[in-house]
Every structure is written in structure tokens, then in C-alpha cells.
Amino acid sequence: MKITRTITLVTGSVILGLVATACGGASSGGSGAYGAPANPPANPPANAPTGTAIGVASLGPGRALVDGNGRAVYLFEKDIGPSSTCSGACASVWPPLLTHGEMPTVTGSAGADQLGTTPRGDGGVQVTYHGHPLYYYVSDHASGDVGGQALDQFGAKWYLVRPSGEKLDTD
């Protein structure tokens, strides 16, 4: 009888452990389409650097904003004003340029008076330029990559940003 109770307790503990692991625990946030987090954390994805500077570079389509590492940043036409409409799966493909308490600096011909921030629904603070929230494109890996230019995803088009703050329209 004592052995039966011990086996029952051990079996019950193992089953509870397996259920908790399968469910991902209470803090997993679940998952959305294509395995993307349903509620991404306020911290950027590993492939989304947080730029320490905003500058201007000559990219394939023209002169546009880049971060301190030369990575292109984009605006999303669906965003009206400084509020971001890109979250969940969208933010997995188009990671926001976040600031973690320090505003990026401006270099070259980028306008310091154009730089700002906006709160995000996930708790992060996103960098804006000329009132547009700024994003990276997940497939741009190196300085000068502009694979996101003029893509139509998540309900609108994405464009590089001119130093004036307007979209770099190459359509």
C-alpha cells in the first residue's frame, strides 16, 4: 500500500511536469501565426539591434536613414501619426527600432529635430523620425541591405525613410 501511494505521487508529479512543459508555463505568451509570439516582449528580437545613432547613407534606391551600424530603417504606411500599428507577427518580421532609456543620437544630415519616441502596446518605446515609427526588416542582415523597400506586407507598404522624413518611394 505504501509503495502504491509513492508510485501514484511520483506519477502525478511527472504528469504535472509534462503538462506544464507542454503548455509552456504561465509566462510563455503563447504563439501566433507561423510560430511568432502572440504577445512579443518589450525587448527587441535577437536580430533587431537597437541603434545608438540615426544617420543617412546612400543605399541602392537613394539616400535614406540608417542606424549606427548602417542598417536601413523603414516606415510603415499603415501607421498614422506616431502610433505603431505593427505588433505580434508583424513585429517579428518588422522589428521596431526601440530605445531603452536613451534616445539615439543623430549624425550627418539626419535632423535632430525630427527624432522622437512613441510608446508601444507591448511596453516598449519606439524611435520615431518625422512622426513615423521606425522599423527594421528581418531579412536585412548587413549594412546596405534594403530587402524591405516597397514591400506590401501586413496591410500596407514599407519604405525607406528620406532624411526629410518622407518615404523613399521607388515605385
Side-chain angles (χ1 to χ4, degrees):
M1 193 167 207
K2 189 173 186 179
I3 294 174
T4 305
R5 283 187 198 160
T6 303
I7 291 172
T8 302
L9 289 174
V10 170
T11 304
S13 296
V14 170
I15 290 171
L16 286 175
L18 290 173
V19 168
T21 301
C23 292
S27 63
S28 73
S31 69
Y34 309 107
N39 298 310
N43 295 325
N47 60 351
T50 53
T52 57
I54 295 293
V56 177
S58 292
L59 302 173
R63 292 182 48 76
L65 297 182
V66 295
D67 74 1
N69 297 316
R71 287 208 39 203
V73 293
Y74 298 84
L75 64 79
F76 185 32
E77 283 194 311
K78 190 173 179 181
D79 291 342
I80 304 298
S83 296
S84 172
T85 59
C86 179
S87 62
C90 177
S92 295
V93 177
W94 295 95
L97 171 58
L98 300 176
T99 180
H100 297 284
E102 292 183 25
M103 187 68 122
T105 58
V106 176
T107 62
S109 60
D113 60 335
Q114 301 292 329
L115 203 57
T117 61
T118 189
R120 291 183 52 80
D122 61 12
V125 178
Q126 188 168 359
V127 177
T128 62
Y129 190 87
H130 193 69
H132 302 291
L134 299 178
Y135 304 87
Y136 293 104
Y137 179 53
V138 73
S139 293
D140 289 352
H141 298 289
S143 173
D145 287 353
V146 292
Q149 174 64 3
L151 287 181
D152 190 343
Q153 295 181 337
F154 299 99
K157 286 195 172 184
W158 299 81
Y159 290 100
L160 295 167
V161 184
R162 294 180 183 275
S164 66
E166 301 302 317
K167 68 181 181 183
L168 177 59
D169 192 349
T170 56
D171 292 340

